[in-house]
Amino acid sequence: MPPSPSRSGAPLDARLVSALAEVPVIASVVTPQPLRQFLTAPAKVCIVASLTVGQLPQTVPALARAGKTVFVNVDSSPGLAQDRGALEFIKNMGAHGVVSTRLSLIEKGRPLGLLTMMKVFVTDRSNLRRSMDAVSRGAPDLVEIMPAPIVARMSEQAQRAMSPSVAAGFVETPADVALALALGSVAAATSDPRLWHLRRDQLPPVPPSARKRPAAPSQE
């Protein structure tokens, strides 16, 4: 079983440690078509996004019955409100967690017993500092860092501040997944069904040069 990185001394939730133990890839399911592929894939965790509020009651329970750990991206689900009622709605249909860029929704999710994943877009160093502050305040279970290549440009201090992290965006090959894990992420997220079958023992080696980080970009 992989190690459990911690944020502010809190270990990765045991449910996620177990779900990511074999396949360190989170499936991004953004249309109904890939659902069947994910149901038969060894990947255990998914982010459901871009499905309408009318599609969720059929999709989420089916995934949960199949033993999948289901996060719903509240921000990108057409027709779903951005409030506590929306979180209660997805919890009652069987979802395990919520994804959002909104600090207020992350803070509301935990009291409801939902796993929380805060999505952050790191576009420059000032944005990185703001993201670190939001993560500190929201204390999510996971931080989805986009785009994935930016993880290699983050200092170890910044990576720790936004852990446990999931690298997402431009995750296209097994090498991308391996690099994300080597840099400290607990998983990589992708909509490519081919990577939903990637097991830990199939990860390619990561060259030492690829692991090098800048000294401290978050402080400049």
Side-chain angles (χ1 to χ4, degrees):
M1 186 171 292
S4 304
S6 60
R7 167 184 35 76
S8 302
L12 180 65
D13 187 280
R15 290 168 290 178
L16 295 171
V17 171
S18 176
L20 295 170
E22 185 177 8
V23 179
V25 176
I26 295 176
S28 295
V29 180
V30 296
T31 62
Q33 286 76 13
L35 284 173
R36 185 175 297 276
Q37 290 173 284
F38 176 62
L39 284 169
T40 58
K44 297 295 185 183
V45 186
C46 71
I47 300 171
V48 175
S50 301
L51 271 65
T52 68
V53 69
Q55 294 171 315
L56 290 174
Q58 290 76 43
T59 302
V60 171
L63 292 171
R65 286 194 298 270
K68 307 295 188 179
T69 299
V70 185
F71 285 81
V72 175
N73 187 324
V74 180
D75 300 347
S76 65
S77 298
L80 195 61
Q82 306 289 312
D83 56 20
R84 179 187 172 93
L87 301 186
E88 293 174 340
F89 174 69
I90 65 172
K91 177 180 172 59
N92 290 338
M93 72 176 69
H96 303 88
V98 58
V99 180
S100 181
T101 59
R102 300 169 185 267
L103 177 60
S104 61
L105 288 179
I106 297 300
E107 292 174 328
K108 290 180 175 70
R110 180 164 293 171
L112 293 174
L114 288 166
L115 293 167
T116 56
M117 186 186 307
M118 178 176 282
K119 187 172 188 174
V120 299
F121 296 89
V122 181
T123 56
D124 54 37
R125 291 174 182 173
S126 62
N127 175 265
L128 175 58
R129 287 192 292 270
R130 291 193 297 272
S131 296
M132 291 167 62
D133 178 64
V135 168
S136 176
R137 292 161 59 194
D141 294 292
L142 287 170
V143 182
E144 185 179 19
I145 300 175
M146 296 190 70
I150 202 66
V151 175
R153 300 300 307 157
M154 293 167 53
S155 68
E156 291 184 14
Q157 177 187 5
Q159 175 74 18
R160 286 194 300 271
M162 294 207 290
S163 292
S165 67
V166 174
F170 296 101
V171 176
E172 300 170 341
T173 67
D176 294 334
V177 177
L179 179 57
L181 269 60
L183 292 172
S185 293
V186 298
T190 178
S191 60
D192 188 338
R194 294 172 299 178
L195 296 180
W196 301 347
H197 296 263
L198 183 64
R199 303 176 191 273
R200 287 185 184 272
D201 59 6
Q202 298 172 324
L203 291 170
V206 178
S209 59
R211 299 171 182 257
K212 292 182 179 179
R213 295 176 179 271
S218 62
Q219 301 300 313
E220 297 178 10

